[in-house]
């Protein structure tokens, strides 16, 4: 590993450490006290995002539980670099929101989707409420009407353009890029998935009662999935794929599902953009998720480019030896927790050794290109099921996206069984 890569690895260890995370939270509280500002949670709302319909309902619960002020913002629709495939994003987010609503006992969006005129009317109403102390309650009524096909309650209207510009600036300053997100003290929490972290932080500050995470990873008893195929799309460069990998293998083993591994190229190597704000948030989010799941994380050696190509060149060899899961797990552990540089023979040889394979055989395959056809077929299959990012899953005709959606897979297995 070069000196430059070693320095990057050491920097990643510091940036993802729990110590720095705690220090940042403490510094934020010191600054808040010195400024005399109240405890304030920012909330960012995209009126056309179905996830925001759920987040708005949870916003009211958050306000009722904790002694905090809510600072709401309207924001613009995501740019193309955030949502490169907006139609597919919409379809996935709609289905995922319905699942979440059922899980949490919230009001789900109803078909058909609201029209552009409905969105515009709701946005004008919400823009007029941004300074209202009862924003959460009134906004929830508007959102419920909007996503239920009902008439939006009458009231004052405001031009949302100025509000969106201010909201976009506040969202960027907070360090996020999507609606439905919350921010407090220098940290962002996107949607129901991460609201448990904010709950815990506010409870620690003595602002309200402590609550367990909203949704567990998965729970016993495990249903029987004999005869069911679980397709798992992942990338060696995706930290979320790393966090999911061993847990998905465990779920497949416990349920007797047939696990089909489908590696794909990282988004950047497929020509899909990954903005800096997105990559920065993902790194911090993965660090706190890894701590929650007790998964080693943070000693990172980014395999983008040569590391991925060299690593994928050994997929067929690992599969022929019956050790493809072990090899994939070893590679991602090396990249995200051990700082192994797969672009070097030293780093990749250690991955191969940990996977129980022979380096003398493996090194003769580096530089071959047979793996490209396999990976391209997996990428075509990923688009076929309506998704583009990883980790993603396909089970019983349903597409699921996210390392925090193992409970969905379990529910789908149970429903089929």
């Amino acid at each position: 590993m070069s000196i430059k890569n070693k320095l990057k690895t050491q920097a990643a260890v510091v940036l993802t450490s729990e110590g720095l995370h705690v220090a940042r939270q403490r510094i934020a509280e010191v600054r808040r006290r010195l400024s005399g500002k109240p405890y304030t949670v920012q909330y960012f709302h995209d009126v056309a995002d179905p996830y925001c319909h759920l987040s708005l309902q949870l916003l009211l619960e958050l306000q009722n539980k904790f002694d905090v002020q809510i600072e709401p913002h309207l924001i613009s629709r995501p740019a193309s670099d955030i949502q490169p495939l907006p139609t597919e994003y919409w379809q996935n987010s709609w289905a995922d929101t319905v699942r979440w609503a059922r899980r949490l006992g919230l009001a789900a969006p109803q078909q058909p989707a609201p029209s552009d005129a409905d969105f515009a009317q709701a946005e004008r109403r919400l823009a007029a409420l941004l300074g209202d102390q009862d924003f959460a309650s009134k906004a929830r009524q508007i959102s419920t009407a909007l996503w239920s096909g009902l008439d939006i309650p009458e009231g004052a209207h405001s031009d949302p353009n100025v509000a969106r510009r201010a909201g976009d600036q506040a969202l960027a300053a907070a360090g996020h890029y999507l609606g439905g997100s919350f921010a407090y003290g220098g940290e962002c929490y996107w949607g129901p998935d991460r609201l448990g972290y904010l709950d815990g932080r506010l409870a620690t500050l003595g602002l309200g009662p402590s609550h367990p995470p909203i949704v567990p990873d998965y729970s016993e008893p495990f249903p029987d999935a004999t005869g069911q195929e679980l397709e798992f799309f992942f990338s060696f460069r995706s930290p979320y794929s790393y966090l999911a990998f061993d847990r998905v293998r465990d779920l497949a083993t416990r349920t007797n599902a047939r696990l089909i591994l489908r590696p794909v190229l990282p988004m950047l190597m497929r020509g899909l953009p990954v903005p800096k704000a997105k990559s920065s948030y993902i790194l911090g989010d993965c660090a706190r998720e890894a701590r929650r799941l007790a998964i080693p994380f943070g000693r990172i050696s980014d395999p983008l480019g040569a590391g991925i190509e060299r690593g994928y060149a050994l997929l067929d060899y690992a599969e022929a030896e019956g050790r493809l899961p072990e090899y994939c797990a070893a590679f991602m552990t090396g990249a995200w927790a051990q700082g192994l540089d797969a672009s070097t023979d030293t780093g990749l040889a250690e991955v191969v050794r940990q996977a129980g394979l022979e380096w003398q055989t493996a090194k003769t395959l580096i530089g071959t290109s047979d793996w490209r056809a396999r990976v391209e077929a997996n990428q075509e299959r990923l688009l076929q099921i309506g998704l583009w990012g990883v980790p993603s899953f396909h089970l019983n005709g349903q597409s699921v996206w996210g390392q925090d959606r193992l409970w969905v897979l379990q529910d789908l297995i149970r429903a089929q069984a």
Side-chain angles (χ1 to χ4, degrees):
M1 179 184 292
S2 67
I3 294 177
K4 181 179 179 180
N5 286 343
K6 287 182 180 179
L7 291 175
K8 286 183 177 180
T9 296
Q10 290 302 317
V13 170
V14 175
L15 289 173
T16 59
S17 67
E18 184 174 12
L20 182 59
H21 181 247
V22 172
R24 284 174 170 170
Q25 291 187 342
R26 290 175 177 171
I27 291 171
E29 287 306 315
V30 170
R31 288 176 174 171
R32 184 198 60 77
R33 287 196 299 270
L34 291 176
S35 68
K37 293 181 179 179
Y39 297 96
T40 302
V41 173
Q42 293 177 295
Y43 169 66
F44 301 94
H45 192 78
D46 174 358
V47 71
D49 188 336
Y51 282 117
C52 290
H53 179 50
L54 295 191
S55 290
L56 199 52
Q57 296 174 63
L58 294 170
L59 177 67
L60 183 58
E61 295 183 13
L62 183 80
Q63 187 176 41
N64 291 335
K65 284 191 294 187
F66 297 105
D67 184 18
V68 295
Q69 291 189 10
I70 302 299
E71 181 183 299
H73 297 274
L74 286 183
I75 64 169
S76 304
R77 312 295 183 272
S80 59
D81 58 348
I82 297 296
Q83 285 183 5
L85 299 174
T87 300
E88 288 80 358
Y89 178 87
W90 169 270
Q91 292 171 345
N92 176 73
S93 60
W94 186 289
D96 195 43
T97 300
V98 171
R99 295 185 189 115
W100 260 115
R102 187 183 304 119
R103 184 85 175 195
L104 299 177
L106 301 175
Q110 303 296 313
Q111 294 281 15
S115 67
D116 289 342
D118 292 333
F119 285 136
Q121 183 184 2
E123 195 171 44
R124 289 193 297 270
R125 286 284 291 112
L126 291 171
L129 291 172
L130 290 176
D132 195 312
Q133 290 186 347
D134 201 20
F135 172 85
S137 178
K138 294 178 180 179
R140 179 171 179 169
Q141 294 173 8
I142 293 171
S143 186
T144 298
L146 173 67
W147 292 97
S148 301
L150 303 175
D151 291 335
I152 295 173
E154 293 294 332
H157 289 70
S158 292
D159 184 347
N161 292 318
V162 173
R164 282 200 304 268
R165 284 194 292 270
D168 292 344
Q169 291 176 358
L171 180 65
H176 212 270
Y177 47 92
L178 285 176
S181 55
F182 304 81
Y184 176 78
E187 191 170 1
C188 293
Y189 311 86
W190 182 77
D193 301 88
R194 302 297 183 265
L195 202 54
Y197 289 118
L198 178 57
D199 271 17
R201 184 172 177 184
L202 298 178
T204 300
L205 293 172
L207 302 176
S210 178
H211 293 268
I214 290 179
V215 175
D217 193 21
Y218 46 60
S219 58
E220 296 185 9
F222 288 88
D224 184 19
T226 300
Q228 298 181 40
E229 291 186 346
L230 171 55
E231 295 177 79
F232 178 19
F233 300 83
F234 60 95
S235 157
F236 281 179
R237 203 213 176 208
S238 161
Y240 286 129
S241 293
Y242 163 61
L243 296 182
F245 197 84
D246 284 342
R247 293 153 57 221
V248 174
R249 289 175 64 195
D250 178 68
L251 180 62
T253 298
R254 290 174 179 265
T255 60
N256 299 313
R258 178 175 173 242
L259 183 61
I260 301 175
L261 298 178
R262 297 195 180 279
V264 301
L265 283 175
M267 291 180 64
L268 282 176
M269 296 177 70
R270 284 184 276 146
L272 296 174
V274 181
K276 183 178 180 181
K278 186 175 182 179
S279 59
S280 296
Y281 173 78
I282 286 174
L283 182 64
D285 185 53
C286 284
R288 66 187 174 192
E289 281 287 273
R291 288 191 290 270
R292 178 179 68 84
L293 297 166
I295 296 175
F297 183 83
R299 189 170 291 278
I300 299 168
S301 180
D302 188 352
L304 183 66
I308 291 292
E309 294 180 348
R310 287 161 57 89
Y312 281 7
L314 304 184
L315 291 171
D316 289 346
Y317 166 55
E319 186 169 51
E321 295 295 315
R323 302 197 65 79
L324 181 60
E326 290 79 6
Y327 171 67
C328 293
F331 190 104
M332 285 189 281
T333 299
W336 295 104
Q338 298 174 338
L340 298 180
D341 186 353
S343 68
T344 68
D345 284 355
T346 300
L348 190 55
E350 179 59 20
V351 168
V352 168
R353 185 194 67 77
Q354 292 184 19
L357 298 169
E358 294 294 332
W359 174 243
Q360 293 303 315
T361 301
K363 69 179 182 179
T364 65
L365 303 172
I366 297 172
T368 59
S369 60
D370 293 348
W371 59 272
R372 294 187 181 277
R374 173 190 193 135
V375 169
E376 287 173 4
N378 290 340
Q379 289 162 190
E380 291 175 4
R381 174 61 177 160
L382 181 62
L383 293 174
Q384 182 183 36
I385 67 170
L387 295 175
W388 66 98
V390 293
S392 293
F393 314 93
H394 194 69
L395 175 69
N396 297 330
Q398 299 290 317
S399 300
V400 180
W401 185 8
Q403 63 87 20
D404 38 29
R405 292 299 186 274
L406 300 194
W407 59 271
V408 176
L409 300 179
Q410 194 172 12
D411 286 351
L412 290 174
I413 292 172
R414 185 176 291 108
Q416 184 73 10

